[in-house]
Amino acid sequence: MDSNKIKEFEAARKGSNSKKHILGYLGIALLVIGLVVLLFSFIAGVVLVILGIALILVGFIGNKRNPVEDFKSFVINDLIKEICSPQVYYDRSGSISLSEVEYSNLLKMPDKMNGEDLIVDTYKNVRYEISDLSLQEARTRILPNGDSYTEYFDYFKGMFMVFDYPADLKGELYIVPKRHSNLCALDTIESESIELNEKYILYTTNKEYAFQILTPLCIEKILALNNIYKGIISYAFTVDKLYVAINSRVNFLDVPGDKPITEMALRKLESDLMLPQAIINEFKLDKGKFQNE
C-alpha cells in the first residue's frame, strides 16, 4: 500500500485530535477564570463559565469523528482496490444475507443478526462474498419480583464467506467442529486424517462423492487454515457453493483508528482481504469438479 496514504491518515488523525484538545484546554482555562471572576462580577463570571464548559464539551466530548470510519475511508478502501478486481463491490454497512447463513446449514438461526464490511468480487471465475457477521441468541431472565428482561449474546462473531462455483456437485459435505442439529439426518464419515477426525465431524449426503472433495490436499489446507486463524472454522461444500465460517470473536477489518497503524496490523489486514482468493487457489475452486471440467 502507498505509504503516503498511511501518512495522510496519520496526519489527519493527529491533526483532528490536536485541534479538539486545544479547544478543550482553552475551555478549562476559561472555566477556571470564570470561577475566579464570579467573586467580583456574577454576570461576567457566569458567561466565562458557560463558554468554558461549551469549549470543553466540543474539545473532549462533542462532535468526535468515528476513528474506525476514518480508518476505513483512508485505508481500507485503498487496500480493497489494490487486492481485489476493478469490479469489486464494497459496502461498509452491508453484510451477507440471513438466507445465505440459513442455506449453509453451518449455524443455527439467530434471534438477532448484525453485519458489516460486505465485499463482493469475482476471482478466477468464482464469485465470492465476505463480511463480518454477529449472530445473537436471546435469553430472557425472570427477576425475583416477577419482572423479566431479555439479553442478547453472541454465539458467532467473525468472518463469513460464500464462494459460488459454476458446477453442481453430486453431493454435499459439511465439516463442523461439533454435532449439529441441522445435519443429524445426514451420514457421517471419517477421513484418512486422524487430526481432522479429532477436530471435526464430517456430514455428507453422498459418502462416495464426499471423498472426491476431501482429497489429501483439501485436508492439508483445512488443517493449515485452522493453524493460521484463531477461532472455530466450519465448512460447507453444498451443491453449488462453498461456505466458510470463522468464529474468531473479532471483526476482520477493524483496527483502532485512534492509534497509529503498525506494519503488523497492515499486513494482517492485507492477509484477511486476500483470504478468499487464497481459498479459491488452495481448494482449487477454479478447476476440475468445481468448474464442470
Side-chain angles (χ1 to χ4, degrees):
M1 182 179 189
D2 185 359
S3 60
N4 290 329
K5 195 69 176 180
I6 299 296
K7 292 177 181 178
E8 182 184 348
F9 169 73
E10 284 297 306
R13 180 183 61 81
K14 292 177 181 178
S16 176
N17 289 340
S18 297
K19 290 176 183 177
K20 287 184 172 64
H21 289 166
I22 289 172
L23 290 175
Y25 293 134
L26 179 59
I28 292 174
L30 287 177
L31 178 61
V32 173
I33 294 171
L35 292 174
V36 173
V37 172
L38 275 174
L39 300 174
F40 306 99
S41 173
F42 178 78
I43 295 178
V46 168
V47 171
L48 289 173
V49 167
I50 293 174
L51 183 58
I53 292 174
L55 289 176
I56 290 171
L57 291 174
V58 171
F60 294 119
I61 301 175
N63 198 32
K64 282 193 173 182
R65 295 172 63 179
N66 185 327
V68 173
E69 288 303 311
D70 284 349
F71 175 79
K72 289 180 178 179
S73 295
F74 276 87
V75 179
I76 294 299
N77 279 331
D78 272 23
L79 280 176
I80 290 173
K81 290 176 183 177
E82 289 179 12
I83 293 171
C84 300
S85 76
Q87 291 75 38
V88 64
Y89 171 79
Y90 173 51
D91 183 357
R92 287 188 221 171
S93 59
S95 71
I96 287 171
S97 68
L98 181 61
S99 61
E100 289 284 19
V101 176
E102 182 176 16
Y103 185 72
S104 75
N105 278 322
L106 290 178
L107 304 165
K108 67 179 180 180
M109 286 297 91
D111 296 307
K112 184 184 291 187
M113 185 181 94
N114 299 302
E116 61 182 9
D117 290 321
L118 173 66
I119 297 173
V120 182
D121 200 10
T122 298
Y123 177 72
K124 291 187 175 180
N125 200 36
V126 179
R127 182 182 181 275
Y128 68 84
E129 298 180 32
I130 178 173
S131 80
D132 276 320
L133 284 184
S134 172
L135 306 183
Q136 300 176 322
E137 64 177 352
R139 298 178 188 173
T140 301
R141 302 184 185 278
I142 309 297
L143 300 176
N145 63 3
D147 292 339
S148 64
Y149 66 95
T150 301
E151 296 179 300
Y152 290 88
F153 297 88
D154 289 332
Y155 62 87
F156 177 89
K157 183 180 178 67
M159 281 188 279
F160 195 90
M161 289 173 274
V162 185
F163 301 87
D164 192 347
Y165 34 76
D168 287 335
L169 302 186
K170 298 176 182 177
E172 298 183 346
L173 173 65
Y174 299 88
I175 306 169
V176 293
K178 59 183 179 180
R179 294 201 173 276
H180 198 309
S181 58
N182 289 359
L183 305 171
C184 286
L186 304 183
D187 294 326
T188 59
I189 60 173
E190 288 194 349
S191 73
E192 62 184 39
S193 167
I194 296 175
E195 183 179 358
L196 188 72
N197 296 335
E198 289 177 344
K199 293 182 177 180
Y200 286 103
I201 299 174
L202 282 61
Y203 294 94
T204 183
T205 59
N206 184 329
K207 289 185 177 182
E208 182 178 349
Y209 194 72
F211 288 106
Q212 295 183 34
I213 299 173
L214 203 62
T215 63
L217 180 62
C218 179
I219 293 172
E220 177 187 332
K221 300 308 178 182
I222 289 172
L223 295 176
L225 191 59
N226 279 12
N227 292 330
I228 294 172
Y229 281 86
K230 295 181 180 179
I232 300 171
I233 309 179
S234 303
Y235 307 82
F237 291 88
T238 68
V239 171
D240 57 352
K241 295 179 181 180
L242 166 63
Y243 294 89
V244 180
I246 304 179
N247 193 4
S248 59
R249 317 303 294 179
V250 296
N251 290 335
F252 84 108
L253 287 186
D254 277 359
V255 169
D258 55 349
K259 297 179 181 178
I261 302 173
T262 65
E263 187 71 18
M264 182 179 296
L266 193 59
R267 297 286 84 81
K268 176 65 168 58
L269 283 169
E270 291 175 340
S271 175
D272 286 346
L273 286 169
M274 294 175 69
L275 179 59
Q277 297 177 11
I279 288 176
I280 291 170
N281 287 331
E282 300 300 332
F283 286 82
K284 301 192 181 304
L285 301 182
D286 60 321
K287 299 177 182 178
K289 54 185 170 290
F290 298 106
Q291 296 286 330
N292 284 322
E293 294 178 356

